[in-house]
Amino acid sequence: MPYNHILVAVDLTEECDPVIHRARELSVSNGATLSLVHIVEPMAMAFGGDVPMDLSQLQQQQFDQAKERLEQLKRKYTELESANCHLTYGQPRQEIHLFAKENNCDLIVVGSHGRHGLALLLGSTANDVLHGAPCDVLAVRLIKS
Ligand code: AMP
């Protein structure tokens, strides 16, 4: 059964290239729609909740930077322009699962580092995304150069 709708989740670092390459290949070979998503994590979340200062300006900067990076990616991978590229706030696992469910994605493609423990096989976000995923998940191994 070919995949119909592939969702590639990117962290917008230079490491996302091999992940996008793999997702593009698969979308071509399966004749599938390709969507891309990046989640901007709320700063308060990174600081563990209560932060005694206003982070809204920093948060906006972070969102604007992500938007610019996404535009660069669209210029680099012209086929992404026609694909659905989404930028949203939240927790990566939750938002990736939600997007996949709402858009009937049947494959999620993420990168995986291999760091420690289970992360020897899967990077932490990849591991997170795998658990409770509403569809297949492909973890593209990222080799450190
Ligand atoms: P990490 O565990 O942070 O090294 O990330 C592994 C992979 O998870 C990345 O290569 C992306 O595919 C995905 N990922 C990480 N952070 C995000 C994010 N904020 N938004 C979307 N995907 C992400």
Side-chain angles (χ1 to χ4, degrees):
M1 283 282 282
Y3 290 112
N4 289 312
H5 191 171
I6 298 173
L7 174 63
V8 57
V10 292
D11 57 10
L12 297 180
T13 67
E14 59 287 352
E15 281 188 345
C16 66
D17 285 297
V19 186
I20 297 176
H21 278 289
R22 193 77 184 102
R24 278 163 78 211
E25 278 169 12
L26 283 167
S27 77
V28 171
S29 62
N30 284 261
T33 302
L34 179 64
S35 290
L36 179 146
V37 74
H38 173 73
I39 320 299
V40 177
E41 289 183 77
M43 289 206 159
M45 213 183 253
F47 289 110
D50 266 349
V51 188
M53 57 182 178
D54 182 14
L55 295 173
S56 50
Q57 224 179 333
L58 276 175
Q59 189 76 75
Q60 188 57 47
Q61 274 176 18
Q62 195 192 6
F63 197 84
D64 292 344
Q65 273 171 13
K67 216 164 154 185
E68 177 50 34
R69 276 289 293 138
L70 198 55
E71 289 306 317
Q72 286 169 6
L73 278 183
K74 283 197 218 169
R75 287 196 288 273
K76 186 169 175 183
Y77 299 104
T78 46
E79 61 272 60
L80 276 180
E81 253 174 308
S82 56
N84 314 314
C85 294
H86 299 271
L87 193 57
T88 183
Y89 275 117
Q91 198 269 335
R93 173 185 187 270
Q94 254 175 29
E95 296 303 320
I96 293 167
H97 285 181
L98 185 67
F99 186 94
K101 249 186 242 164
E102 285 181 346
N103 295 278
N104 293 320
C105 298
D106 44 12
L107 178 68
I108 299 171
V109 182
V110 289
S112 108
H113 283 103
R115 293 175 182 127
H116 48 80
L118 230 199
L120 278 171
L121 290 172
L122 300 167
S124 55
T125 308
N127 189 25
D128 242 20
V129 169
L130 180 63
H131 290 282
C135 60
D136 290 358
V137 176
L138 173 68
V140 177
R141 182 101 166 119
L142 301 172
I143 313 272
K144 273 190 194 148
S145 50

